[in-house]
Amino acid sequence: MERNTYRDGPDAQGRFGPFGGRYVAETLMPLILEVERAWRAAQRDPAFEAELRYYLEHYVGRPSPLYFAERLTAHLGGAKIYFKRDELNHTGAHKINNTVGQILLARRMGKTRIIAETGAGQHGVATATVCALFDLPCVVYMGETDIARQAPNVFRMKLLGAEVVPVTSGSRTLKDAMNETLRDWVANVDDTFYVIGTVAGPHPYPAMVRDFQSVIGNEVRDQILAAEGRLPDTLVACIGGGSNAMGLFHPFLDETGIDIHAVEAAGEGLDTGRHAASLTAGSPGVLHGNRTYLLQDGDGQIQEAHSISAGLDYPGVGPEHAWLHDVGRVRYVSVTDAEALEAFQLCSRLEGILPALEPSHALAHVARIAGGLPSDHLLVMNMCGRGDKDVFTVAEALGVEL
Amino acid sequence: MTGGRDRIARRFAALAGEGRSAFIPFVSAGDPDRETSAAILARLPALGADLIELGMPFSDPMADGPSIQAGGERALRAGQTMADTLAMVSAFRERDADTPLVLMGYFNPIYRYGSEAFAADARAAGVDGLIVVDLPPEEDEELRGPAETAGLALIRLVAPTTDDARLRRILADCDGFVYYVSVTGITGTKSAMTRDVAAGLARVRKATDLPVAVGFGVRDAGQASEIAGFADAVVVGSAIVQRIESTLSNGRAGSGTIPGVEALVRELAGGVRNGRGPEAEEAGG
C-alpha cells in the first residue's frame, strides 16, 4: 500500500496503527485527558513555544553541535560519520529536552508537584534539575537494582533537592519504577504531574515526548544542509523506550530515501534470554498504558530485561516504534553488551569522547555497517548521552579495579 | 442461560428482596499456592460471601497497593497460570451453582490468551463477569464483544475523578454492576471516608439502575458495615490478602492460614450484614 506520510500519527485515540492507546485505570483517565488538552493548547500558544525555546537555548545549551567524527570515519574506512552531540546538553543527555518541555507544561497547568521514574538516572537527573530551576518538589522512583548500579546519578538527584524513592517490587528496575510512579499519580491526582521520560506510556505521552525530542532531528536537518548541502543517507540511534531515536528520526520519516536504523540492547545475546530487545525478540502486549512490543512469557507476564546499559533495560518500547517496525520504515537491529563495550573504548580513544553505554550500542552498529558504505555516504548517529556516569560499570566489566 | 451475567443479576435481585447489601471478598488465584487458594475459594460462600472476586495474578499490577501486589507475586512464584485460574473456577463451580464469580485483573494476560478464547473459556469454566482495571471504556471494545457473546458481564469502574460526561459514557455499556473506586489511590492504601463515598455513590445512582459495589478503600468490618448502609455491595481485598500474608510460615501456607482467612471473612460478612440493621440506620443514615 502506498502511504503519503509516516508522520501523521497518532490518531484521536492515541494510536499508531494498532499500537499506543490509553490503557490506564479510570482514576487516571480524566488526568490523561487533561494533560492532552493542556498540551494541545500549549502547542498552539506562541508564548509557550518562546518560553521552551528560551530555556533550550540558554539553559540546556541548544543547538547541540553536529560533529564530523573524522578519525572514526578514517578508522572504519567507509561512510562519513557525524555525531549529533546531545551528550553536550546540560546534564549530559538528551533527556532534558523533554523534561524542560513537560515541566513548563506542568507549570502552565498549575501543578505543584513533579514525579518521575528513572532507570539509568539520566531522566531522573534531568527532571530533578528542571524542578530545582523552577522550585518544584520532585519525587523520583528508581528500582533498587538501578540505585545500586547508578550511585553517582542517585547522589546527583539528591544534591538537586529531589527525593529518590527506592522501588523494591518486581524486578526492581525501570518497569517497576514506572508502576510505582503511576501508583503515586493515582493517589495524588490533584496537584501532581507525571513527567514520563520516554516515548511510551498512555497517550498523549508518546507523541508529546516525541515532539519535545524532535528538536534533535530538526537541528540535524539544518546542520547537515549547512555542512554538506544535502540530507543524510543513514540515521542511527539506540533504543530502549526510544525517545532519542524518535527525536532524531521523526522529522526524516517521510524522506523515504533515508535509511533509518534503531539499535536495541541484545544484552548477553538474544539466544540467552538475557536481553532488552523487545522489537527483535518480543511480542505485542499491553503495559504501562499502551499496546506495544513487550518481553513477556506465554501467559502474558512481563519478563525482566537485561542490558549493561541501565537506560536500555526496559522490557517494552514506544508504540510509534512498534508501528514503524511493523510497517518496515525503520530497521531494528541489536547489539550485545560486549559489542557496546568495545565501541565505548573505540570512541574514547579515537574521538576523545566517552559515550554513554546507551549510544555505545548505536556506535557498535555504526562500526558494523560503515566500512561497507561508500565514502560519500552521510551517516548521522545520535550521541545521546555522555559516559561519565558509566565509568564504574565499564571498569567492572573490563575487570579493572578503581 | 443460567450462569454469566444472569447469575449476577439473580443474586442482586435476591439481596434487594432481603433488603441487604452484598459482601464481595477478593482473593488472588493461587495465593499462596494452588491448593490453599482453592480451599479458601471453596469456603467463601459458606462464610458469607454473596459474590466473589478472584484476582488473575499479573507481574505489573499498576492499580494495586503492596498487599495485593505481594499476593500476586506469591501466586506467580508458585507457578499460577491463567489456565490454572480457570481450572480453579471450574472446580469451584462443580460444588456451587449460585454464587456469582467475577475475575479481576489486567488486560495483558487476557490479550495474550486471546480475548475471544478467553471469554469463551472463562464462561465455560463458570465465570460470570470480568473487571479489567486498565481497560477504560475507550479501550474495552475488543473485550466487550467477546464478553457479550459469551454471556459474561463486563463490569466497569467509576472513580471519584470521573466527571459527569465520562460517567454517562461508562454507564452506557456497563454490565452486571458498577464498581465504584472509593478512593483516589491504589488498593488497600487509603481508607475511604464514608461521607465522600456516600456522596460519590449518590452521583452514580442518579445515572444508573445497576447495582453499585464499593471497593479499593474498605479496610475492616466496621467500615464495611458503614458502607453497606448505602452501597449495593462492599468489596474487601487487601485486608484478606494481608491476612494470608500474616499467617504464612516461611513464606508458605501455615496451619493458621485457612482458619485465619475464615475468621476474617466471617467477620467482614457480618459487618456487611449489620450494615442495614436498625443500629446502622441511626449511625449511617
Side-chain angles (χ1 to χ4, degrees):
Chain A
M1 191 184 75
E2 277 297 309
R3 181 183 296 282
N4 294 326
T5 179
Y6 290 92
R7 304 180 71 235
D8 60 350
D11 66 15
Q13 299 305 308
R15 294 195 179 269
F16 304 91
F19 301 105
R22 286 176 286 222
Y23 295 87
V24 297
E26 174 58 25
T27 315
L28 280 183
M29 266 312 282
L31 272 91
I32 301 280
L33 296 170
E34 187 194 347
V35 170
E36 187 184 353
R37 277 192 298 272
W39 174 54
R40 294 286 177 212
Q43 280 182 308
R44 288 189 300 267
D45 181 355
F48 182 80
E49 174 63 28
E51 193 180 23
L52 178 60
R53 195 175 301 217
Y54 173 85
Y55 285 104
L56 288 180
E57 181 181 342
H58 298 285
Y59 189 69
V60 175
R62 302 209 71 91
S64 67
L66 183 70
Y67 163 73
F68 170 42
E70 198 171 353
R71 293 197 66 214
L72 186 71
T73 298
H75 177 81
L76 296 173
K80 190 168 182 185
I81 299 162
Y82 281 89
F83 291 161
K84 177 58 173 167
R85 303 282 311 268
D86 254 51
E87 100 281 11
L88 292 176
N89 292 341
H90 179 41
T91 72
H94 71 290
K95 292 290 186 186
I96 197 162
N97 302 330
N98 168 51
T99 59
V100 168
Q102 285 197 48
I103 289 169
L104 289 177
L105 181 65
R107 276 161 53 89
R108 220 180 127 90
M109 293 173 70
K111 300 295 180 181
T112 54
R113 176 175 175 268
I114 301 295
I115 56 174
E117 86 293 340
T118 197
Q122 290 305 108
H123 174 59
V125 167
T127 306
T129 297
V130 182
C131 284
L133 177 66
F134 290 114
D135 193 24
L136 288 165
C138 175
V139 177
V140 179
Y141 290 90
M142 188 168 184
E144 223 177 27
T145 307
D146 291 334
I147 286 182
R149 59 180 168 175
Q150 299 288 338
N153 272 345
V154 175
F155 187 55
R156 241 169 243 149
M157 286 185 269
K158 289 181 178 167
L159 287 172
L160 292 161
E163 182 190 348
V164 180
V165 180
V167 176
T168 58
S169 57
S171 62
R172 305 172 184 210
T173 57
L174 180 55
K175 85 171 171 73
D176 310 284
M178 202 152 172
N179 290 334
E180 214 53 45
T181 318
L182 284 162
R183 290 179 185 124
D184 178 312
W185 205 21
V186 173
N188 298 286
V189 290
D190 292 329
D191 64 346
T192 298
F193 188 96
Y194 180 8
V195 177
I196 295 184
T198 192
V199 287
H203 178 63
Y205 283 95
M208 179 167 68
V209 176
R210 172 200 72 198
D211 287 354
F212 286 136
Q213 290 294 359
S214 289
V215 66
I216 299 171
N218 288 329
E219 286 175 6
V220 166
R221 177 184 294 272
D222 294 345
Q223 291 167 322
I224 196 85
L225 286 175
E228 298 281 353
R230 67 181 183 90
L231 294 180
D233 299 298
T234 298
L235 302 174
V236 180
C238 64
I239 170 173
S243 71
N244 93 82
M246 272 322 300
L248 175 64
F249 300 166
H250 194 258
F252 295 104
L253 287 176
D254 285 344
E255 270 96 16
T256 51
I258 301 177
D259 277 332
I260 305 182
H261 299 192
V263 187
E264 295 193 293
E268 293 172 13
L270 295 180
D271 52 353
T272 65
R274 288 176 56 77
H275 60 79
S278 328
L279 283 168
T280 317
S283 55
V286 172
L287 180 70
H288 294 152
N290 63 127
R291 187 197 314 258
T292 186
Y293 278 79
L294 302 172
L295 300 180
Q296 57 182 329
D297 68 14
D299 223 30
Q301 307 296 339
I302 308 306
Q303 291 175 318
E304 246 179 89
H306 171 82
S307 169
I308 191 169
S309 147
L312 302 182
D313 205 347
Y314 179 66
V317 63
E320 193 165 10
H321 284 293
W323 176 71
L324 290 168
H325 170 268
D326 278 17
V327 299
R329 175 64 188 97
V330 175
R331 195 174 146 217
Y332 293 85
V333 298
S334 65
V335 152
T336 63
D337 290 351
E339 292 169 312
L341 270 171
E342 208 171 293
F344 179 99
Q345 296 170 83
L346 182 71
C347 184
S348 302
R349 294 220 179 111
L350 285 179
E351 294 291 349
I353 296 170
L354 295 190
L357 282 169
E358 291 79 13
S360 295
H361 286 71
L363 260 171
H365 180 65
V366 169
R368 203 190 267 163
I369 63 171
L373 296 167
S375 60
D376 61 351
H377 189 100
L378 301 180
L379 187 156
V380 176
M381 191 207 93
N382 197 10
M383 182 62 77
C384 61
R386 67 176 182 228
D388 307 54
K389 71 181 173 65
D390 293 317
V391 293
F392 298 103
T393 307
V394 171
E396 196 187 321
L398 297 177
V400 177
E401 275 203 44
L402 296 182
Chain B
M1 291 223 257
T2 54
R5 65 162 66 85
D6 299 338
R7 184 154 32 214
I8 297 174
R10 250 193 336 268
R11 176 56 52 102
F12 275 110
L15 290 166
E18 291 174 43
R20 68 179 181 89
S21 181
F23 170 54
I24 310 182
F26 167 97
V27 288
S28 288
D31 173 26
D33 60 71
R34 239 168 289 178
E35 201 177 302
T36 310
S37 183
I40 291 171
L41 182 64
R43 293 281 294 133
L44 290 174
L47 299 166
D50 298 302
L51 289 85
I52 294 169
E53 264 182 38
L54 186 63
M56 301 174 278
F58 180 47
S59 53
D60 295 79
M62 295 174 335
D64 285 304
S67 305
I68 292 179
Q69 285 174 47
E73 281 182 22
R74 284 193 294 273
L76 291 174
R77 264 202 309 277
Q80 187 76 12
T81 63
M82 190 66 102
D84 293 334
T85 299
L86 295 180
M88 251 178 90
V89 178
S90 294
F92 171 84
R93 237 349 131 219
E94 277 171 25
R95 282 176 301 188
D96 187 316
D98 303 319
T99 309
L101 187 145
V102 170
L103 290 179
M104 182 164 187
Y106 296 81
F107 187 50
N108 198 52
I110 295 173
Y111 177 66
R112 187 73 180 165
Y113 196 106
S115 290
E116 277 175 33
F118 175 76
D121 290 358
R123 178 61 204 275
V127 172
D128 304 306
L130 303 173
I131 304 174
V132 187
V133 180
D134 56 353
L135 276 191
E138 284 83 351
E139 304 291 355
D140 72 6
E141 200 176 325
E142 63 187 294
L143 184 59
R144 202 167 64 234
E148 266 167 23
T149 306
L152 294 173
L154 188 58
I155 294 147
R156 284 175 167 179
L157 298 102
V158 172
T161 50
T162 307
D163 62 26
D164 286 341
R166 285 191 63 71
L167 184 62
R168 279 193 297 278
R169 179 168 187 176
I170 292 168
L171 295 172
D173 286 306
C174 190
D175 195 9
F177 59 91
V178 182
Y179 193 121
Y180 184 74
V181 175
S182 65
V183 293
T184 50
I186 51 179
T187 53
T189 50
K190 281 184 181 173
S191 206
M193 303 297 289
T194 306
R195 192 183 310 167
D196 296 345
V197 180
L201 214 69
R203 194 161 70 92
V204 179
R205 279 205 195 287
K206 256 188 254 165
T208 183
D209 294 327
L210 283 172
V212 186
V214 171
F216 269 54
V218 188
R219 314 277 306 148
D220 56 35
Q223 201 184 3
S225 179
E226 280 178 26
I227 290 176
F230 54 85
D232 299 305
V234 182
V235 184
V236 182
S238 296
I240 299 172
V241 176
Q242 262 163 30
R243 180 62 62 92
I244 292 176
E245 183 166 342
S246 68
T247 54
L248 298 177
S249 87
N250 298 322
R252 292 167 182 276
S255 57
T257 303
I258 293 176
V261 170
E262 284 179 345
L264 177 63
V265 170
R266 204 177 277 125
E267 188 186 320
L268 291 164
V272 173
R273 275 166 200 268
N274 288 336
R276 300 267 176 99
E279 209 178 318
E281 291 285 323
E282 273 171 51

